[in-house]
Amino acid sequence: MVRGRICSLSVRDVRFPTSLGGHGSDAMHTDPDYSAAYVVLETDAEDGLKGYGITFTLGKGTEVVVCAVNALAHHVLNKDLGDIVGDFRGFYRQLTSDGQLRWIGPEKGVVHLATAAILNAVWDLWAKQEGKDPRTLLSCIDFRYITDVLTEEEAYEILQKGQVGKKEREGQMLMHGYPAYTTSCAWLGYSDDTLKQLCTEALKAGWTRFKVKVGADLQDDVRRCRLIRNMIGPEKTLMMDANQRWDVPEAVKWMSQLAEFKPLWIEEPTSPDDILGHAAISKALAPLGIGVATGEQCHNRVIFKQLLQAKALQFLQIDSCRLGSVNENLSVLLMAKKFEIPVCPHAGGVGLCELVQHLIIFDFISVSASLQNRMCEYVDHLHEHFRYPVIIKKASYMPPKDAGYSTEMKEESVKKHQYPDGEVWKKLLAAQEN
């Protein structure tokens, strides 16, 4: 029985000064401060049940997402959790189709990031209370705009097939975990010495899959890719990520120059909105054995639908905070299964690893039933600020054991890093003034 009326919603702007160490730096985002709009839903349940939700940002602009969360808050306040999840599709549509706020989306940008933060908190609440069967999960998905590719009945069939062998796959996850790759070694702002040191440590820790940031300077990319390929050897897997830096012809030309380093994929080679551009790049790079991966900045399920229809990607990268929470991610996992495209989620940031582990382990156990060509990104930053941080063993995500969506941050960390009044930012902002 789902219990509790949502009696308050608070949202805070939490920022970590990661730009000071060059963490997260790439060809387009040279100085990110990993940040989050952090939502807490309180209920009137006797046990004081709370739900925690986040959406990930890069510093400036987090305050705008906070405003959007507050603008959407009336849709969730004073609602009974049982009523929300009893018609979750309707509630999802209410949030994403607010007659006035929809104009500054729809289902994309700041308003959709805010929607994700609220919905992630609702899922955290619900996950602490009860299990869900295939029909219940499908009732959460808004199939509007995707029925030409996936109907509710087709989705049900996929989930029903996923019941076969489910117990064995659960056992496999509990024993071995979900395979991961690391991006922590090769941010664009890192020196060669840092890159070498981190690579050495990662190899010692058992990592076999590495991603390197590219796209700012070709000769520098050649040098850095050679350095990392020489360090990891020919057998280990290498991926590259341009973070939307190139035009379509430039992407093809640039990657032809980097093909000697045998990358499995090039990630976000061009604008995330350019579906046909991605298709052209995919076609051109196929003879070189290089796949295209994208998705971390795809607005919604409709963009993913078209990327799949256009054969524009070989690896699909969901994001737990860019799409409309679990609801929309479920629809994308199911479409990817129909097209037999492997899902390799985007993670890192603030809490993205914590959230997306739930989605990708669910995908293996209940949807794709395959680990072929599949892995989940891991970035070794900021996990210490979460109450239930991810557990990595032998370069794999071990299934989370605590109920909920692993979204709760430590209150002490939130207070210290709240912008602009937290202790960390007071010091930094004062230093900048001097």
Side-chain angles (χ1 to χ4, degrees), residues 342-418:
V343 176
C344 300
H346 169 241
V350 177
L352 295 185
C353 297
E354 276 69 19
L355 274 76
V356 88
Q357 61 178 337
H358 293 267
L359 300 175
I360 198 59
I361 290 172
F362 168 79
D363 179 64
F364 172 65
I365 291 171
S366 298
V367 182
S368 71
S370 170
L371 291 179
Q372 190 177 355
N373 261 341
R374 288 166 165 85
M375 54 190 133
C376 186
E377 184 169 23
Y378 176 71
V379 173
D380 193 11
H381 302 305
L382 308 176
H383 303 291
E384 66 276 15
H385 300 292
F386 284 81
R387 278 200 65 191
Y388 309 103
V390 289
I391 295 167
I392 297 284
K393 282 186 185 164
K394 295 182 181 169
S396 295
Y397 279 87
M398 300 313 290
K401 297 286 175 69
D402 298 283
Y405 203 2
S406 309
T407 33
E408 186 179 351
M409 295 178 81
K410 292 176 181 170
E411 185 57 28
E412 183 191 346
S413 290
V414 174
K415 278 184 179 155
K416 268 171 100 168
H417 294 90
Q418 196 162 336

Side-chain angles (χ1 to χ4, degrees), residues 9-249:
L9 179 154
S10 65
V11 56
R12 289 187 277 179
D13 178 339
V14 183
R15 307 187 192 185
F16 298 91
T18 47
S19 60
L20 299 177
H23 311 309
S25 52
D26 62 53
M28 283 298 248
H29 315 94
T30 50
D31 58 347
D33 284 328
Y34 278 4
S35 307
Y38 181 55
V39 171
V40 181
L41 299 178
E42 293 189 33
T43 69
D44 62 3
E46 283 177 19
D47 55 2
L49 195 67
K50 293 181 184 181
Y52 302 86
I54 57 172
T55 195
F56 172 56
T57 51
L58 294 187
K60 288 176 196 142
T62 312
E63 73 280 8
V64 186
V65 183
V66 166
C67 280
V69 168
N70 284 322
L72 286 164
H74 66 281
H75 288 295
V76 72
L77 279 171
N78 300 312
K79 293 271 192 336
D80 191 86
L81 183 62
D83 293 341
I84 288 174
V85 301
D87 179 22
F88 213 154
R89 182 179 300 163
F91 178 71
Y92 180 90
R93 196 172 281 194
Q94 189 186 331
L95 272 183
T96 57
S97 299
D98 178 295
Q100 295 180 6
L101 284 170
R102 189 180 184 279
W103 192 256
I104 57 168
E107 295 186 65
K108 55 179 164 286
V110 168
V111 75
H112 211 44
L113 292 175
T115 298
I118 291 171
L119 286 170
N120 282 339
V122 172
W123 276 94
D124 184 50
L125 268 178
W126 191 20
K128 288 167 180 168
Q129 296 200 32
E130 63 173 10
K132 291 125 198 95
D133 62 29
R135 279 286 179 213
T136 308
L137 287 174
L138 291 181
S139 73
C140 304
I141 298 172
D142 188 351
F143 284 89
R144 181 158 61 176
Y145 310 134
I146 61 171
T147 53
D148 51 330
V149 155
L150 184 76
T151 64
E152 189 167 347
E153 277 315 303
E154 284 178 302
Y156 182 66
E157 279 172 31
I158 290 170
L159 287 176
Q160 281 300 97
K161 281 180 186 161
Q163 298 291 308
V164 179
K166 188 175 165 183
K167 275 276 164 273
E168 290 79 359
R169 290 191 295 277
E170 279 180 11
Q172 188 179 339
M173 286 293 100
L174 289 165
M175 180 81 71
H176 303 291
Y178 196 94
Y181 72 86
T182 178
T183 305
S184 308
C185 303
W187 296 115
L188 207 58
Y190 282 177
S191 67
D192 286 3
D193 285 345
T194 301
L195 194 151
K196 283 180 194 168
Q197 181 197 334
L198 292 172
C199 236
T200 304
E201 288 169 9
L203 286 163
K204 272 186 194 159
W207 290 92
T208 59
R209 305 172 186 91
F210 297 78
K211 190 165 82 184
V212 58
K213 296 287 182 174
V214 297
D217 178 279
L218 180 57
Q219 291 324 117
D220 192 52
D221 285 350
V222 169
R223 187 181 56 74
R224 289 169 76 255
C225 288
R226 180 165 287 127
L227 192 154
I228 198 166
R229 178 49 92 189
N230 287 344
M231 285 203 72
I232 68 175
E235 301 307 315
K236 305 241 180 346
T237 306
L238 183 65
M239 288 81 70
M240 297 178 186
D241 185 356
N243 289 92
Q244 315 157 29
R245 184 64 190 252
W246 303 317
D247 280 10
V248 173

